[in-house]
Amino acid sequence: MQPYEPQPHQTGPHVDPYAQAGWAQPQDATYGSPPPYPAPPQYGSYPGAPTPPQYGASVPPNVPPQQQPRGLSPFGMPARHSWEIPMLIVVVLLTVLAYAIALLLLATGNFDQYVLLFVFAPILIWLGRGVLYSTQRVNGVKMSPTQFPEGYRMVVEAAARFGMAKVPDAYVVLGNGQINAFASGHGFRRFVAVYSDLFEIGGAAREPDALAFIIGHEVGHIAAGHVSYWRQLGMFLGPFLPFVGNSLIRAQEYTADNHGFCNRHAGAAAAMGTLAAGKYLNTLVGFDEMADRAAIEKGFFVWVVNAMSSHPVLTWRMWALRDRSRHGKLWLRPAPPAGAMPPQAGYPTGYQTPALPPKTVP
């Protein structure tokens, strides 16, 4: 059965919202009551906060998501961040200029290690990608129907969700307490690696929705072309351009977040909570409370930390995942809605601290 063939209606905390019969057609600027699917995180819990968008009437169920318009809603194909292509053009042009200067210096005999680095960049990138891919092949646990089947199914479903002709390989690598995942490739092969701490003992996903979001994020990097050899060759100067290069990478991360949100929007809050506090304390993270701080935490060094980071800072990233009416901020912090203020009674939480067993008296 195809991953997105209409299925009978299901219920439960981890139901796949895309398995229900019918697809919704997003509309641009219509707000109203929440739609009848698991709603994405609310845009704040304070007075005056806008309600989630009403995505409109459903369309015939035989319309696949690949034929829906691109956007920031959970439906259709995920949108590319609005600044990604402009920043990519700038970085590629500067990189081509650097290659030309390096070749000129080499031809005139005026070269050093940096000139040689750029001259041999095509070979170095090819070797690095080959070593990285081979490392996963010989050390990683390859996801399959018999090894980490839940993660394997999520990779297959994410690839189908994004209309990919070939499912990327997926590996589980030893995390040693770290929470991470990445995507890369070599030649015509693409792969995803997920750290083992995102799984429970026995191979089940520790947070199924969060893992589906993270896998959708990484498969999204592949679907958006971020791991292409030619793209990485064109972006080779990026690490030497701290502001411009990092801005491009942050835009790519927002694009991948859009893919993760479209793949499993219900896992966005849990995924960000896991990145913020780890796999054991993620339930203590108030998604709205932390996202609201994106508009509150300000100052020159806050701007510097974000500008020099390869990923958007977590508060800005959570704000962007909550507010699906616009793309995530690259340089300037988000602005709160007019008249909005944090709730006076504090933020609600459904987490209950488990009671410790009584100690035995010696």
Side-chain angles (χ1 to χ4, degrees), residues 23-28 30-40 52-59 72-75 261 265 322 324-325:
W23 301 92
Q25 178 76 29
Q27 297 181 358
D28 292 335
T30 304
Y31 289 82
S33 58
Y37 52 80
Q54 175 69 34
Y55 291 105
S58 61
V59 299
L72 299 176
S73 76
F75 301 101
F261 189 85
H265 67 271
R322 186 179 62 180
R324 304 309 292 168
S325 65

Side-chain angles (χ1 to χ4, degrees), residues 213-239:
F213 176 91
I214 292 172
I215 286 178
H217 174 104
E218 300 304 336
V219 176
H221 276 304
I222 299 174
H226 297 165
V227 302
S228 165
Y229 169 82
W230 297 107
R231 186 181 183 113
Q232 292 189 0
L233 185 62
M235 294 172 51
F236 188 73
L237 189 63

Side-chain angles (χ1 to χ4, degrees), residues 108-236:
T108 58
N110 300 317
F111 60 88
D112 55 13
Q113 65 270 25
Y114 294 105
V115 172
L116 294 176
L117 179 66
F118 276 89
V119 169
F120 291 101
I123 298 176
L124 295 175
I125 294 175
W126 181 77
L127 290 175
R129 288 163 60 90
V131 169
L132 180 60
Y133 181 46
S134 297
T135 300
Q136 315 314 315
R137 294 170 64 191
V138 298
N139 291 323
V141 182
K142 189 174 183 179
M143 295 187 195
S144 69
T146 55
Q147 292 186 138
F148 296 93
E150 189 175 9
Y152 174 78
R153 175 181 58 82
M154 291 178 181
V155 174
V156 173
E157 290 180 351
R161 178 72 175 85
F162 306 141
M164 299 171 63
K166 185 177 181 180
V167 178
D169 293 336
Y171 299 91
V172 175
V173 298
L174 182 62
N176 279 331
Q178 298 184 40
I179 303 296
N180 198 7
F182 62 89
S184 187
H186 179 60
F188 295 103
R189 291 151 296 206
R190 301 289 182 265
F191 68 92
V192 169
V194 180
Y195 280 32
S196 58
D197 291 78
L198 291 170
F199 293 90
E200 286 280 14
I201 296 177
R206 183 169 184 85
E207 293 279 354
D209 286 336
L211 181 61
F213 176 91
I214 292 172
I215 286 178
H217 174 104
E218 300 304 336
V219 176
H221 276 304
I222 299 174
H226 297 165
V227 302
S228 165
Y229 169 82
W230 297 107
R231 186 181 183 113
Q232 292 189 0
L233 185 62
M235 294 172 51
F236 188 73

Side-chain angles (χ1 to χ4, degrees), residues 225-282:
H226 297 165
V227 302
S228 165
Y229 169 82
W230 297 107
R231 186 181 183 113
Q232 292 189 0
L233 185 62
M235 294 172 51
F236 188 73
L237 189 63
F240 300 93
L241 303 170
F243 180 78
V244 177
N246 287 344
S247 296
L248 170 57
I249 299 176
R250 289 200 306 277
Q252 292 183 163
E253 292 301 325
Y254 276 130
T255 296
D257 272 354
N258 292 341
H259 282 75
F261 189 85
C262 285
N263 186 57
R264 187 65 62 86
H265 67 271
M272 294 299 107
T274 302
L275 293 177
K279 63 180 182 179
Y280 297 118
L281 302 178
N282 52 8

